[in-house]
Amino acid sequence: MKQPAAPPTADADTEKPPILGHWRNIYAVVLLLHLLLIISFYLVTRIYS
Amino acid sequence: MSLLDWFVMTGTLAAIVLYGVYKTRQVNNVESYLMGDRDLKWWTIGLSVMATQASAITFLSTPGQAYNDGLGFAQFYFGLPIAMVVLCVFVLPIYYRLKVYTAYEYLEGRFDLRVRTLTAILFLIQRGLAAGITIYAPAIILSTILEWSLSLTILLIGLVVIFYTVVGGTKAVSVTQKQQMIVILLGMFAAGVVVVMELPADIGLGDAIGVAGHLGKLNIVDLEFDLNDRYNIWSALLGGTFLFLSYFGTDQSQVQRYLSGKSLTESRLGLLFNGIFKVPMQFLVLMVGILVFVFFLFQPPPVHFNSANLDKLRNSEYGTELTTLEEDYARINERNQAATLTMVEALRSEDELAITEARTAVEATLEERASVARSVDGLITAYDAELITEDRDYVFITFVINYLPVGLVGLLLAVIFSAAMSSTSSELNALATTSVIDIYRRSLVPGRDDDHYFAASKWLTILWGLIALGFAAVANLFDNLIQAVNIIGSLFYGVILGVFAVAFFFKHVGGKAVFRAAIVGQSFVALTFVANWVEVIDLAYLWLNLIGCAITIAVAVVLETTQNRGLLSGEGR
């Protein structure tokens, strides 16, 4: 029986980001900025509610 | 519209289109035409991804949404940055390593040709219909407000888009989208500044924010958990992330944008750029709507924002009743303006009691205004039950046409036409690419030279453009067209997402199981839809997305497990 092709994994992904050394640091910055944005939105909501 | 506005609008649009054509004059092969030679930088990818998602309706409807309901709609996009990170981690490296043209091409390597072809066809059906709506929806609003012929407006948008998309392919789409997005952001920012400048001389931005906030328009985050409410933080973070993963990860109109990147790094940065700036951009657009709301506390708004509906009423037997209602409305607006000025004074004095009293007075006049508007809606329905009384989409364009200075009106119209063109061009480009790569070259006419497929790509772009134009031209024959297309989308989108979810996250499942599961899932979705249609069950159509996805995954996993057990027991004997 023909075995299904396994999906490629991300292991071969070796490209470095231009800043912060590793992609996980970039992702952390993006998510942190998003969290700060949500917190600031929440504070605006609290001020007027 | 003044001569200067005409000059600004046509000049801006023509400059963008000519720039796109000029930049893509070297495009002469399939790789270049469909993948843009894979040489785009991250900022072009980021702006192109944003422009693809933001249609003209985004800029017509979103300020109107804020005008009516405040900033809560911003929550809808809270799942987007999370989805961008997930795609960068799990999906982009796979697409890049396989150097695929389309998302569906990946499915052949992962499963087999049948699964690839099935998902490609499902995409073509749903996106082909949506392309018509992307042209029709803004055209009907612009033609009403500008008093242009609807057919002419549809033709204007459609032919220009077809022209530059056919000439330059995916690179033309991306480079024009970069310029279009710059014009859109500049235009919306300018509109926001002008709204504040048009407020009464002694009313500043701080006063406007204070008034809007105390009238409940700045309630952005809703922490209450409610499954029926689309706009709270939980549905945004859970449902929104799910929605954006499927849209950005499996819809070729988006996948094609980031696969044109120079490298995996450029594509990742482009998507993360979208992740960082999409929510602030939506916030900016919504804030413009909030400022327009405050503006119309000091200036009397029309009793109904769709002027075509009012004109029909005025010339009918309901004309006298309309005039009486408009006179009532004018008197209420005078009291509303006075109450708002009192509220500003109270806010400046920081006297809580005075603020509460003033707010109550403003809210009372706003309720009176809404009551008169509802009476006008009743007249419109009595005149013609087919007319749409919801006028939210006309709020911002009414402000633009009537209150922006000469020149800026032309720029804002260029913004709206740019948004219509940018999303339509992505759709046509994606439809042509999927047709050529996944169907035509793979199954119908394989083994021909590059020139043949290059020409086929151009002809298929023209064909999809004409289909979209044709659908847009007859769209007014359908009662509730946008809902109809959303239902069609929901019929197919869940199964497509289910197939991709199995591909990425259920590594032991093969093509045979997932193909059968997709057929079962699609059949179940169709039966559920029919049961809902004949009122055997009562289900919002958006749930079809989840049903299709869940059944495809579940059936694929069960079938694969059953097959494996059957094989093992066979070997055991």
Side-chain angles (χ1 to χ4, degrees):
Chain A
M1 190 191 92
K2 186 186 171 221
Q3 291 296 311
T9 62
D11 297 341
D13 169 27
T14 52
E15 285 191 39
K16 292 279 182 192
I19 52 169
L20 301 178
H22 200 284
W23 280 106
R24 65 171 172 264
N25 297 334
I26 303 259
Y27 301 146
V29 168
V30 172
L31 294 175
L32 189 65
L33 283 173
H34 187 47
L35 183 65
L36 290 174
L37 194 64
I38 292 176
I39 290 172
S40 60
F41 284 164
Y42 176 70
L43 291 175
V44 170
T45 306
R46 290 278 298 177
I47 287 169
Y48 289 108
S49 60
Chain B
M1 207 163 73
S2 74
L3 193 62
L4 181 62
D5 287 322
W6 274 103
F7 180 74
V8 170
M9 185 183 79
T10 52
T12 305
L13 295 174
I16 291 172
V17 171
L18 291 176
Y19 175 78
V21 172
Y22 172 75
K23 290 288 281 185
T24 55
R25 65 194 183 284
Q26 307 287 357
V27 171
N28 58 4
N29 59 69
V30 173
E31 170 81 6
S32 186
Y33 190 75
L34 299 182
M35 303 308 292
D37 288 324
R38 301 186 199 252
D39 68 350
L40 297 182
K41 303 292 281 184
W42 63 268
W43 54 84
T44 304
I45 296 167
L47 290 171
S48 181
V49 164
M50 288 173 92
T52 295
Q53 190 183 14
S55 69
I57 283 295
T58 306
F59 298 97
L60 288 167
S61 187
T62 308
Q65 176 118 22
Y67 182 93
N68 281 352
D69 303 322
L71 293 179
F73 182 62
Q75 294 175 107
F76 182 73
Y77 295 93
F78 281 3
L80 189 143
I82 301 166
M84 294 301 102
V85 169
V86 172
L87 291 173
C88 286
V89 173
F90 294 106
V91 179
L92 259 68
I94 295 173
Y95 286 163
Y96 256 87
R97 197 166 326 100
L98 297 176
K99 294 189 183 306
V100 292
Y101 279 75
T102 72
Y104 319 108
E105 197 177 352
Y106 156 67
L107 294 175
E108 183 174 356
R110 171 65 180 86
F111 298 122
D112 55 34
L113 176 60
R114 291 181 307 171
V115 178
R116 172 186 179 176
T117 307
L118 176 67
T119 47
I121 289 171
L122 294 180
F123 167 76
L124 291 173
I125 294 170
Q126 96 184 53
R127 191 49 68 184
L129 293 173
I133 291 298
T134 315
I135 298 172
Y136 173 78
I140 192 161
I141 296 169
L142 288 167
S143 63
T144 301
I145 293 294
L146 298 172
E147 297 178 355
W148 294 357
S149 147
L150 176 61
S151 305
L152 189 71
T153 314
I154 288 171
L155 266 182
L156 179 72
I157 297 173
L159 290 181
V160 173
V161 173
I162 292 171
F163 168 66
Y164 72 77
T165 310
V166 169
V167 169
T170 201
K171 192 181 274 189
V173 174
S174 295
V175 296
T176 50
Q177 281 180 327
K178 184 171 70 173
Q179 316 302 325
Q180 285 159 340
M181 206 60 212
I182 291 168
V183 169
I184 287 168
L185 292 175
L186 283 175
M188 292 307 287
F189 183 75
V193 170
V194 171
V195 188
V196 176
M197 290 169 64
E198 294 276 327
L199 291 170
D202 56 338
I203 304 293
L205 178 62
D207 297 319
I209 298 288
V211 168
H214 282 85
L215 291 173
K217 294 288 184 186
L218 302 186
N219 294 342
I220 312 172
V221 179
D222 180 0
L223 294 176
E224 198 167 319
F225 186 81
D226 181 356
L227 278 175
N228 292 322
D229 182 7
R230 275 185 298 172
Y231 307 134
N232 64 51
I233 194 164
W234 311 115
S235 62
L237 290 177
L238 296 172
T241 304
F242 182 81
L243 175 73
F244 291 123
L245 274 175
S246 57
Y247 174 56
F248 286 98
T250 72
D251 191 309
Q252 182 62 20
S253 63
Q254 281 294 359
V255 172
Q256 193 153 358
R257 308 274 55 81
Y258 55 76
L259 286 187
S260 309
K262 191 172 186 178
S263 64
L264 175 58
T265 296
E266 299 292 341
S267 295
R268 276 178 163 158
L269 290 174
L271 277 191
L272 295 176
F273 172 89
N274 184 42
I276 292 173
F277 289 105
K278 179 68 183 181
V279 179
M281 188 198 85
Q282 287 299 138
F283 178 75
L284 168 72
V285 177
L286 286 163
M287 267 314 290
V288 171
I290 293 293
L291 292 171
V292 170
F293 165 78
V294 176
F295 172 81
F296 280 127
L297 293 176
F298 296 102
Q299 288 284 333
V303 70
H304 181 84
F305 280 96
N306 184 344
S307 55
N309 283 352
L310 285 184
D311 289 342
K312 284 172 186 161
L313 270 190
R314 224 180 292 285
N315 297 321
S316 73
E317 70 268 33
Y318 299 101
T320 315
E321 283 179 75
L322 175 63
T323 306
T324 308
L325 286 170
E326 283 183 322
E327 286 166 0
D328 291 346
Y329 200 68
R331 281 191 287 274
I332 296 167
N333 275 319
E334 282 173 16
R335 286 191 283 115
N336 177 260
Q337 185 178 347
T340 308
L341 286 169
T342 307
M343 189 172 173
V344 170
E345 291 303 321
L347 287 170
R348 286 176 182 168
S349 68
E350 297 182 4
D351 180 345
E352 286 301 324
L353 184 64
I355 292 172
T356 306
E357 285 176 1
R359 188 182 65 210
T360 307
V362 175
E363 284 174 342
T365 51
L366 285 176
E367 181 47 42
E368 286 181 62
R369 251 174 40 171
S371 174
V372 174
R374 281 194 294 273
S375 299
V376 173
D377 288 351
L379 287 185
I380 293 169
T381 307
Y383 168 74
D384 182 352
E386 296 289 306
L387 290 176
I388 297 169
T389 54
E390 176 59 75
D391 61 349
R392 186 181 66 191
D393 294 347
Y394 294 83
V395 171
F396 182 57
I397 192 74
T398 300
F399 171 79
V400 167
I401 296 292
N402 295 325
Y403 295 99
L404 286 192
V406 172
L408 209 49
V409 174
L411 181 66
L412 263 292
L413 287 171
V415 165
I416 291 159
F417 276 109
S418 290
M421 290 175 184
S422 65
S423 45
T424 309
S425 63
S426 280
E427 288 171 335
L428 297 186
N429 189 224
L431 286 163
T433 304
T434 306
S435 306
V436 171
I437 301 297
D438 295 304
I439 309 288
Y440 186 78
R441 188 174 75 174
R442 181 65 187 85
S443 300
L444 297 181
V445 188
R448 302 292 291 272
D449 60 18
D450 191 80
D451 286 346
H452 176 84
Y453 295 117
F454 180 51
S457 303
K458 290 198 167 198
W459 281 112
L460 279 163
T461 307
I462 294 172
L463 178 67
W464 280 112
L466 293 177
I467 290 172
L469 266 181
F471 189 61
V474 298
N476 60 341
L477 298 178
F478 299 91
D479 283 345
N480 195 338
L481 186 92
I482 291 175
Q483 178 156 311
V485 169
N486 280 337
I487 290 171
I488 292 166
S490 297
L491 279 170
F492 300 112
Y493 220 33
V495 173
I496 295 176
L497 181 62
V499 171
F500 275 91
V502 172
F504 287 121
F505 301 114
F506 297 86
K507 299 180 181 179
H508 66 288
V509 177
K512 195 173 172 183
V514 84
F515 182 77
R516 289 179 177 175
I519 299 289
V520 171
Q522 197 59 69
S523 305
F524 192 86
V525 167
L527 285 174
T528 309
F529 174 70
V530 172
N532 198 48
W533 198 15
V534 297
E535 297 179 356
V536 174
I537 57 170
D538 183 18
L539 189 75
Y541 64 83
L542 284 174
W543 286 105
L544 296 175
N545 290 293
L546 184 62
I547 290 170
C549 181
I551 288 186
T552 304
I553 294 171
V555 173
V557 171
V558 168
L559 283 177
E560 187 64 39
T561 309
T562 313
Q563 282 172 23
N564 289 342
R565 278 186 188 158
L567 278 175
L568 284 174
S569 63
E571 284 170 9
R573 283 196 292 274

